[in-house]
Amino acid sequence: MNETATLRARAEIDLAALRANVRTLRARASGAQLMAVVKSDAYGHGAVPCARAALEAGATWLGTATPQEALALRAAGIGGRVMCWLWTPGGPWREAVEADIDVSVSGMWALDEVVAAATAAGVPARIQLKADTGLGRSGCQPADWPELVSAARAAEDAGTLRITGLWSHFACADEPGHPSIAAQLHVFRDMVAYAEKEGVTPEVRHIANSPATLTLPESHFDLVRTGIAMYGISPSPELGTPADFGLRPVMTLAASVALVKRVPPGHGISYGHHYTTTAETTLALIPLGYADGIPRHASGRGPVLVGGAVRRIAGRVAMDQFVVDLGGAPLAAGAEAVLFGPGDRGEPSAEDWAVAADTIAYEIVTRIGTRVPRVHVHEDSGRD
Ligand SMILES: Cc1ncc(COP(=O)(O)O)c(C=O)c1O
């Protein structure tokens, strides 16, 4: 028996699949560089091993939301270009500058803080100016762009920083034909042209996330930033399945059945008794719950491959466990229950869980808790 088979539960992370996905995405990226987005612990897949695997497969940038995530990559010995974009006042600007991290700047307060940090460190900062081209989230509004560009250019001329990128983010790239896509591209081109006219010479201009990488070649510019597709999940079921894009799901979530027992008809199951057995039957106890990231909202609906068939959760998901009604199927404690994976054995997908929990597959993989060990397999790229 292999060592991981004895675990209560595990998220197996297939790094060969991740590397293959990176290569597939690069081939679709019109010659642009690829940033592997490894924020939020690589969407729950483990930031450091996934970052390494993505770099091996040809990614040239890593992207994180918070500076702490970016610094953690450096602390793990990961070199190359790393960019982070979610800053708050008083953040670790100096540490980021000293760790050679490209930092995003959306407004004047951030520019002031990065200039102060670079001056104190005696090292020029690398900044990327973020434009709000219509997402309405972070980024500099078009009306405020001239002031930000002018101040950043002045700091660049003074040698305090280098403007390495101009970038933005889509609101509706997963809805091909949505009018905001063309509108955002138009605004992005205008804002880039303005900055370049003012003397900015960016290494990279970028706006494309996974759906744009897969469906919008005109959005690829110099760099695409892929997250979900790299983990083998389609950005949206309406766009296609992972297989339609040549992608393979990277995470398999499985557990060891904790208990199998016979119960009589009319037996209530789990908190609130929202499920009652209709006949004498066999129950399997699956030792994963909402504390592990199994959505309580998927109570009564979440699919699991166990005992040779895909079955639905019986009753409520509890903090640490849920129950499946096996009907007449024989099973022993210790048998494997697969919640989702690439589908080779007929197991459900993360997308199936998203449907069951009325959410998106991004949330399903990202929310798997720290109590579930990540088991990275196929780390050796020599066999690809
Ligand atoms: C700024 C930014 N770029 C790129 C991505 C990657 O998006 P996706 O996972 O759709 O590829 C994200 C994730 O939400 C993001 O916040």
Side-chain angles (χ1 to χ4, degrees), residues 317-337:
V317 175
M319 189 181 293
D320 315 304
Q321 46 196 295
F322 63 83
V323 175
V324 171
D325 185 344
L326 297 172
L331 197 74
E336 188 178 46

PDB file of all heavy atoms in Angstrom, residues 317-337:
ATOM      1  N   VAL A 317     -23.724  18.204   4.938  1.00  0.00           N
ATOM      2  CA  VAL A 317     -22.272  18.184   5.140  1.00  0.00           C
ATOM      3  C   VAL A 317     -22.021  18.768   6.532  1.00  0.00           C
ATOM      4  O   VAL A 317     -22.504  19.864   6.848  1.00  0.00           O
ATOM      5  CB  VAL A 317     -21.558  19.046   4.074  1.00  0.00           C
ATOM      6  CG1 VAL A 317     -20.067  19.132   4.355  1.00  0.00           C
ATOM      7  CG2 VAL A 317     -21.834  18.512   2.666  1.00  0.00           C
ATOM      8  N   ALA A 318     -21.290  18.049   7.371  1.00  0.00           N
ATOM      9  CA  ALA A 318     -20.938  18.554   8.698  1.00  0.00           C
ATOM     10  C   ALA A 318     -19.516  19.116   8.658  1.00  0.00           C
ATOM     11  O   ALA A 318     -18.897  19.185   7.600  1.00  0.00           O
ATOM     12  CB  ALA A 318     -21.052  17.426   9.718  1.00  0.00           C
ATOM     13  N   MET A 319     -19.002  19.525   9.797  1.00  0.00           N
ATOM     14  CA  MET A 319     -17.688  20.187   9.796  1.00  0.00           C
ATOM     15  C   MET A 319     -16.577  19.263   9.288  1.00  0.00           C
ATOM     16  O   MET A 319     -15.687  19.696   8.541  1.00  0.00           O
ATOM     17  CB  MET A 319     -17.335  20.684  11.198  1.00  0.00           C
ATOM     18  CG  MET A 319     -16.095  21.551  11.216  1.00  0.00           C
ATOM     19  SD  MET A 319     -15.611  22.128  12.850  1.00  0.00           S
ATOM     20  CE  MET A 319     -16.947  23.220  13.254  1.00  0.00           C
ATOM     21  N   ASP A 320     -16.659  17.987   9.672  1.00  0.00           N
ATOM     22  CA  ASP A 320     -15.544  17.076   9.374  1.00  0.00           C
ATOM     23  C   ASP A 320     -15.935  15.868   8.539  1.00  0.00           C
ATOM     24  O   ASP A 320     -15.085  15.044   8.214  1.00  0.00           O
ATOM     25  CB  ASP A 320     -14.953  16.535  10.687  1.00  0.00           C
ATOM     26  CG  ASP A 320     -14.776  17.624  11.707  1.00  0.00           C
ATOM     27  OD1 ASP A 320     -14.089  18.603  11.383  1.00  0.00           O
ATOM     28  OD2 ASP A 320     -15.366  17.515  12.810  1.00  0.00           O
ATOM     29  N   GLN A 321     -17.220  15.701   8.259  1.00  0.00           N
ATOM     30  CA  GLN A 321     -17.652  14.455   7.623  1.00  0.00           C
ATOM     31  C   GLN A 321     -19.009  14.612   6.952  1.00  0.00           C
ATOM     32  O   GLN A 321     -19.764  15.522   7.258  1.00  0.00           O
ATOM     33  CB  GLN A 321     -17.714  13.348   8.672  1.00  0.00           C
ATOM     34  CG  GLN A 321     -18.401  13.759   9.953  1.00  0.00           C
ATOM     35  CD  GLN A 321     -18.121  12.798  11.090  1.00  0.00           C
ATOM     36  OE1 GLN A 321     -18.530  11.647  11.036  1.00  0.00           O
ATOM     37  NE2 GLN A 321     -17.443  13.263  12.119  1.00  0.00           N
ATOM     38  N   PHE A 322     -19.255  13.698   6.028  1.00  0.00           N
ATOM     39  CA  PHE A 322     -20.603  13.570   5.462  1.00  0.00           C
ATOM     40  C   PHE A 322     -20.840  12.098   5.150  1.00  0.00           C
ATOM     41  O   PHE A 322     -19.922  11.262   5.256  1.00  0.00           O
ATOM     42  CB  PHE A 322     -20.795  14.467   4.220  1.00  0.00           C
ATOM     43  CG  PHE A 322     -19.918  14.146   3.033  1.00  0.00           C
ATOM     44  CD1 PHE A 322     -20.262  13.143   2.129  1.00  0.00           C
ATOM     45  CD2 PHE A 322     -18.753  14.872   2.799  1.00  0.00           C
ATOM     46  CE1 PHE A 322     -19.463  12.866   1.021  1.00  0.00           C
ATOM     47  CE2 PHE A 322     -17.939  14.593   1.689  1.00  0.00           C
ATOM     48  CZ  PHE A 322     -18.302  13.582   0.805  1.00  0.00           C
ATOM     49  N   VAL A 323     -22.091  11.792   4.789  1.00  0.00           N
ATOM     50  CA  VAL A 323     -22.513  10.401   4.623  1.00  0.00           C
ATOM     51  C   VAL A 323     -22.994  10.187   3.192  1.00  0.00           C
ATOM     52  O   VAL A 323     -23.575  11.086   2.591  1.00  0.00           O
ATOM     53  CB  VAL A 323     -23.657  10.082   5.632  1.00  0.00           C
ATOM     54  CG1 VAL A 323     -24.212   8.687   5.404  1.00  0.00           C
ATOM     55  CG2 VAL A 323     -23.147  10.246   7.065  1.00  0.00           C
ATOM     56  N   VAL A 324     -22.714   8.973   2.688  1.00  0.00           N
ATOM     57  CA  VAL A 324     -23.236   8.584   1.379  1.00  0.00           C
ATOM     58  C   VAL A 324     -24.021   7.301   1.582  1.00  0.00           C
ATOM     59  O   VAL A 324     -23.589   6.407   2.313  1.00  0.00           O
ATOM     60  CB  VAL A 324     -22.071   8.365   0.381  1.00  0.00           C
ATOM     61  CG1 VAL A 324     -22.573   7.749  -0.911  1.00  0.00           C
ATOM     62  CG2 VAL A 324     -21.357   9.684   0.101  1.00  0.00           C
ATOM     63  N   ASP A 325     -25.191   7.233   0.934  1.00  0.00           N
ATOM     64  CA  ASP A 325     -26.019   6.026   0.991  1.00  0.00           C
ATOM     65  C   ASP A 325     -25.613   5.114  -0.158  1.00  0.00           C
ATOM     66  O   ASP A 325     -25.781   5.463  -1.324  1.00  0.00           O
ATOM     67  CB  ASP A 325     -27.493   6.434   0.874  1.00  0.00           C
ATOM     68  CG  ASP A 325     -28.431   5.253   1.057  1.00  0.00           C
ATOM     69  OD1 ASP A 325     -27.971   4.095   0.967  1.00  0.00           O
ATOM     70  OD2 ASP A 325     -29.631   5.496   1.265  1.00  0.00           O
ATOM     71  N   LEU A 326     -25.068   3.942   0.194  1.00  0.00           N
ATOM     72  CA  LEU A 326     -24.560   3.028  -0.836  1.00  0.00           C
ATOM     73  C   LEU A 326     -25.631   2.103  -1.387  1.00  0.00           C
ATOM     74  O   LEU A 326     -25.354   1.302  -2.287  1.00  0.00           O
ATOM     75  CB  LEU A 326     -23.431   2.168  -0.252  1.00  0.00           C
ATOM     76  CG  LEU A 326     -22.170   2.901   0.213  1.00  0.00           C
ATOM     77  CD1 LEU A 326     -21.244   1.923   0.937  1.00  0.00           C
ATOM     78  CD2 LEU A 326     -21.443   3.530  -0.965  1.00  0.00           C
ATOM     79  N   GLY A 327     -26.847   2.182  -0.843  1.00  0.00           N
ATOM     80  CA  GLY A 327     -27.854   1.210  -1.252  1.00  0.00           C
ATOM     81  C   GLY A 327     -27.364  -0.178  -0.876  1.00  0.00           C
ATOM     82  O   GLY A 327     -26.916  -0.391   0.239  1.00  0.00           O
ATOM     83  N   GLY A 328     -27.378  -1.086  -1.857  1.00  0.00           N
ATOM     84  CA  GLY A 328     -26.954  -2.448  -1.525  1.00  0.00           C
ATOM     85  C   GLY A 328     -25.485  -2.720  -1.750  1.00  0.00           C
ATOM     86  O   GLY A 328     -25.012  -3.825  -1.523  1.00  0.00           O
ATOM     87  N   ALA A 329     -24.727  -1.704  -2.231  1.00  0.00           N
ATOM     88  CA  ALA A 329     -23.344  -1.986  -2.650  1.00  0.00           C
ATOM     89  C   ALA A 329     -22.462  -2.369  -1.463  1.00  0.00           C
ATOM     90  O   ALA A 329     -22.482  -1.699  -0.437  1.00  0.00           O
ATOM     91  CB  ALA A 329     -22.763  -0.759  -3.353  1.00  0.00           C
ATOM     92  N   PRO A 330     -21.699  -3.455  -1.618  1.00  0.00           N
ATOM     93  CA  PRO A 330     -20.784  -3.839  -0.532  1.00  0.00           C
ATOM     94  C   PRO A 330     -19.548  -2.943  -0.549  1.00  0.00           C
ATOM     95  O   PRO A 330     -19.094  -2.512  -1.607  1.00  0.00           O
ATOM     96  CB  PRO A 330     -20.393  -5.277  -0.909  1.00  0.00           C
ATOM     97  CG  PRO A 330     -20.537  -5.338  -2.393  1.00  0.00           C
ATOM     98  CD  PRO A 330     -21.592  -4.331  -2.791  1.00  0.00           C
ATOM     99  N   LEU A 331     -19.028  -2.632   0.597  1.00  0.00           N
ATOM    100  CA  LEU A 331     -17.831  -1.781   0.677  1.00  0.00           C
ATOM    101  C   LEU A 331     -17.211  -1.991   2.048  1.00  0.00           C
ATOM    102  O   LEU A 331     -17.909  -2.314   3.008  1.00  0.00           O
ATOM    103  CB  LEU A 331     -18.227  -0.305   0.508  1.00  0.00           C
ATOM    104  CG  LEU A 331     -17.092   0.651   0.161  1.00  0.00           C
ATOM    105  CD1 LEU A 331     -16.675   0.467  -1.298  1.00  0.00           C
ATOM    106  CD2 LEU A 331     -17.514   2.107   0.372  1.00  0.00           C
ATOM    107  N   ALA A 332     -15.902  -1.774   2.148  1.00  0.00           N
ATOM    108  CA  ALA A 332     -15.234  -1.886   3.448  1.00  0.00           C
ATOM    109  C   ALA A 332     -14.660  -0.531   3.828  1.00  0.00           C
ATOM    110  O   ALA A 332     -14.319   0.283   2.955  1.00  0.00           O
ATOM    111  CB  ALA A 332     -14.110  -2.918   3.355  1.00  0.00           C
ATOM    112  N   ALA A 333     -14.566  -0.299   5.128  1.00  0.00           N
ATOM    113  CA  ALA A 333     -13.876   0.903   5.594  1.00  0.00           C
ATOM    114  C   ALA A 333     -12.475   0.902   4.995  1.00  0.00           C
ATOM    115  O   ALA A 333     -11.859  -0.157   4.839  1.00  0.00           O
ATOM    116  CB  ALA A 333     -13.808   0.917   7.115  1.00  0.00           C
ATOM    117  N   GLY A 334     -12.002   2.097   4.629  1.00  0.00           N
ATOM    118  CA  GLY A 334     -10.678   2.195   4.003  1.00  0.00           C
ATOM    119  C   GLY A 334     -10.757   2.272   2.487  1.00  0.00           C
ATOM    120  O   GLY A 334      -9.777   2.606   1.826  1.00  0.00           O
ATOM    121  N   ALA A 335     -11.935   1.964   1.933  1.00  0.00           N
ATOM    122  CA  ALA A 335     -12.095   2.087   0.468  1.00  0.00           C
ATOM    123  C   ALA A 335     -11.936   3.558   0.093  1.00  0.00           C
ATOM    124  O   ALA A 335     -12.133   4.457   0.918  1.00  0.00           O
ATOM    125  CB  ALA A 335     -13.462   1.577   0.040  1.00  0.00           C
ATOM    126  N   GLU A 336     -11.599   3.765  -1.166  1.00  0.00           N
ATOM    127  CA  GLU A 336     -11.376   5.139  -1.603  1.00  0.00           C
ATOM    128  C   GLU A 336     -12.680   5.787  -2.076  1.00  0.00           C
ATOM    129  O   GLU A 336     -13.457   5.167  -2.804  1.00  0.00           O
ATOM    130  CB  GLU A 336     -10.350   5.165  -2.743  1.00  0.00           C
ATOM    131  CG  GLU A 336      -9.934   6.581  -3.096  1.00  0.00           C
ATOM    132  CD  GLU A 336      -8.877   6.627  -4.202  1.00  0.00           C
ATOM    133  OE1 GLU A 336      -9.043   5.909  -5.212  1.00  0.00           O
ATOM    134  OE2 GLU A 336      -7.913   7.383  -4.052  1.00  0.00           O
ATOM    135  N   ALA A 337     -12.871   7.024  -1.652  1.00  0.00           N
ATOM    136  CA  ALA A 337     -13.973   7.842  -2.181  1.00  0.00           C
ATOM    137  C   ALA A 337     -13.325   9.008  -2.918  1.00  0.00           C
ATOM    138  O   ALA A 337     -12.483   9.699  -2.354  1.00  0.00           O
ATOM    139  CB  ALA A 337     -14.836   8.357  -1.036  1.00  0.00           C
TER     140      ALA A 337
END
